Amino acid sequence: MKIIYKRSDIKDKVKALKANGLTIGFVPTMGALHQGHLSLIKEAKLQNDIVVCSIFVNPIQFNNQQDLEKYPIDYESDLKKLENLDCDLVFMPDVEEMYPEPPTQKYDFGFLDKVMEGKFRPGHFNGVATVVHKFFDIIEPDKAYFGEKDFQQLTIIKRLVKDYNIPVEIVPCPIVRESDGLAMSSRNLRLTKEQRIQAPYIYQTLLKAKENYKKFSVIELKNWIKEEINKNSFMKLEYVEIVDMQTLHSVNNYNDIKNLIICIVVFLGEIRLIDNIKLFY
Ligand code: AMP
């Protein structure tokens, strides 16, 4: 496994590999790697000759300075995990390397970046799109892997590659959960012992909603989820939306649309956890 810090070095390295006819799979991460990230690496290993993983805590996608400052970092452990999976290249630029000048790009994804995360985290998706676009430009992967845990992000990245004609296939990967159902997240490390015990209640509530949705209208189901979450004294719901998986438009009834997803964000203290569940009918 080779660790590379400079844009020009990773570009040259990948170019040489591609010239030899090898295919490149790319997995962008912000480090503090867990089994969710590693599932993306494993999938990329299966589908490509060479796997590139980036570790870069992208400051411009944080709308909350405290969240950025407290973001967990453990490069040593990350590199060990990647080595164990036989990841080929790790790209670890610093902020100066990625943004020698303050970035000025402005993306507009129409409705897709105005709702849910876009609404509650202003500027977040512009930061995500900026860094992912740069990575695609530098690495030119054949395929890139994104987790369905960040479902809206995945939708926006698919739109980014369409809008800018970027020749990369976006591969969605399912959510990896702890054995108690909590969606794996680097932020879980920041939960207190008691918060960690309570946290699986988010997924339990989503599961119950999915099991029982036919008993409720869409509005009633949303309200039921809201009430269930807020019943838990450790939790505060930020939002819950039931949306069309393609357009992210909220629906008012279950008719017409085949693929719905319930997206939720819950605070436990100051820790913001995101999750979702697909609701097919
Ligand atoms: P992050 O390091 O949080 O930016 O995440 C890097 C990638 O890993 C993103 O595509 C995430 O959606 C994905 N990811 C994070 N957690 C999980 C999980 N529990 N299951 C599947 N993918 C995940």
Side-chain angles (χ1 to χ4, degrees):
M1 187 173 82
K2 198 166 163 48
I3 303 163
I4 295 177
Y5 300 94
K6 297 285 169 209
R7 277 179 299 164
S8 53
D9 291 345
I10 187 91
K11 206 174 172 73
D12 291 349
K13 182 78 191 159
V14 171
K15 215 177 194 174
L17 292 163
K18 285 181 94 167
N20 284 331
L22 299 176
T23 58
I24 311 292
F26 174 51
V27 181
T29 81
M30 298 203 297
L33 301 181
H34 50 64
Q35 289 300 325
H37 299 113
L38 300 185
S39 72
L40 272 55
I41 303 279
K42 286 178 199 163
E43 194 58 28
K45 282 294 287 183
L46 287 175
Q47 298 185 4
N48 303 274
D49 299 319
I50 297 291
V51 173
V52 182
C53 175
S54 63
I55 300 179
F56 178 63
V57 182
N58 179 32
I60 65 164
Q61 74 183 67
F62 285 81
N63 56 315
N64 176 335
Q65 191 61 23
Q66 231 193 12
D67 194 25
L68 171 61
E69 280 160 16
K70 294 194 174 167
Y71 203 82
I73 291 179
D74 189 348
Y75 295 137
E76 204 176 310
S77 146
D78 288 347
L79 292 173
K80 257 187 219 148
K81 288 171 187 165
L82 292 174
E83 178 93 65
N84 285 341
L85 289 183
D86 210 12
C87 180
D88 301 281
L89 299 172
V90 186
F91 181 42
M92 295 177 74
D94 62 17
V95 175
E96 176 67 22
E97 183 66 16
M98 285 307 281
Y99 305 118
E101 305 286 336
T104 53
Q105 292 94 329
K106 289 282 170 277
Y107 294 88
D108 187 350
F109 298 105
F111 187 75
L112 298 181
D113 65 356
K114 306 296 181 293
V115 289
M116 300 194 288
E117 295 301 278
K119 180 170 156 197
F120 284 93
R121 302 184 68 188
H124 170 66
F125 285 125
N126 201 67
V128 170
T130 301
V131 79
V132 172
H133 201 165
K134 269 178 173 275
F135 281 140
F136 285 168
D137 205 43
I138 298 165
I139 295 166
E140 297 187 49
D142 297 287
K143 297 185 182 188
Y145 296 77
F146 291 85
E148 289 184 333
K149 184 173 87 88
D150 302 288
F151 188 81
Q152 189 174 8
Q153 169 175 284
L154 172 64
T155 309
I156 283 175
I157 299 297
K158 283 183 187 163
R159 186 59 197 254
L160 173 78
V161 304
K162 268 195 197 146
D163 283 357
Y164 291 86
N165 301 311
I166 305 170
V168 55
E169 182 187 335
I170 302 303
V171 183
C173 299
I175 301 178
V176 177
R177 299 180 180 280
E178 301 286 354
S179 54
D180 58 15
L182 175 63
M184 289 193 183
S185 164
S186 310
R187 290 190 174 85
N188 294 350
L189 293 169
R190 293 178 52 205
L191 296 170
T192 64
K193 220 173 182 181
E194 191 52 43
Q195 286 170 340
R196 176 63 190 82
I197 291 168
Q198 299 294 328
Y201 182 71
I202 301 169
Y203 184 54
Q204 286 160 14
T205 305
L206 290 180
L207 276 179
K208 259 197 225 164
K210 182 172 172 144
E211 274 163 31
N212 294 302
Y213 82 96
K214 283 185 179 153
K215 296 180 194 157
F216 298 103
S217 71
V218 173
I219 302 288
E220 284 168 348
L221 187 63
K222 270 193 340 195
N223 284 335
W224 180 83
I225 295 169
K226 206 183 276 183
E227 280 166 23
E228 284 298 297
I229 292 292
N230 288 334
K231 254 187 216 168
N232 185 312
S233 62
F234 286 82
M235 299 191 178
K236 195 164 175 1
L237 183 96
E238 185 171 67
Y239 68 77
V240 57
E241 295 293 347
I242 301 176
V243 301
D244 176 341
M245 278 172 60
Q246 265 73 47
T247 64
L248 305 186
H249 277 286
S250 285
V251 295
N252 293 321
N253 57 60
Y254 301 114
N255 299 332
D256 308 333
I257 292 157
K258 291 221 169 52
N259 303 135
L260 294 179
I261 186 164
I262 307 179
C263 297
I264 193 167
V265 167
V266 177
F267 274 99
L268 283 91
E270 60 179 24
I271 314 302
R272 188 176 187 273
L273 298 183
I274 188 167
D275 204 347
N276 65 65
I277 196 165
K278 290 177 192 170
L279 193 66
F280 293 103
Y281 98 82

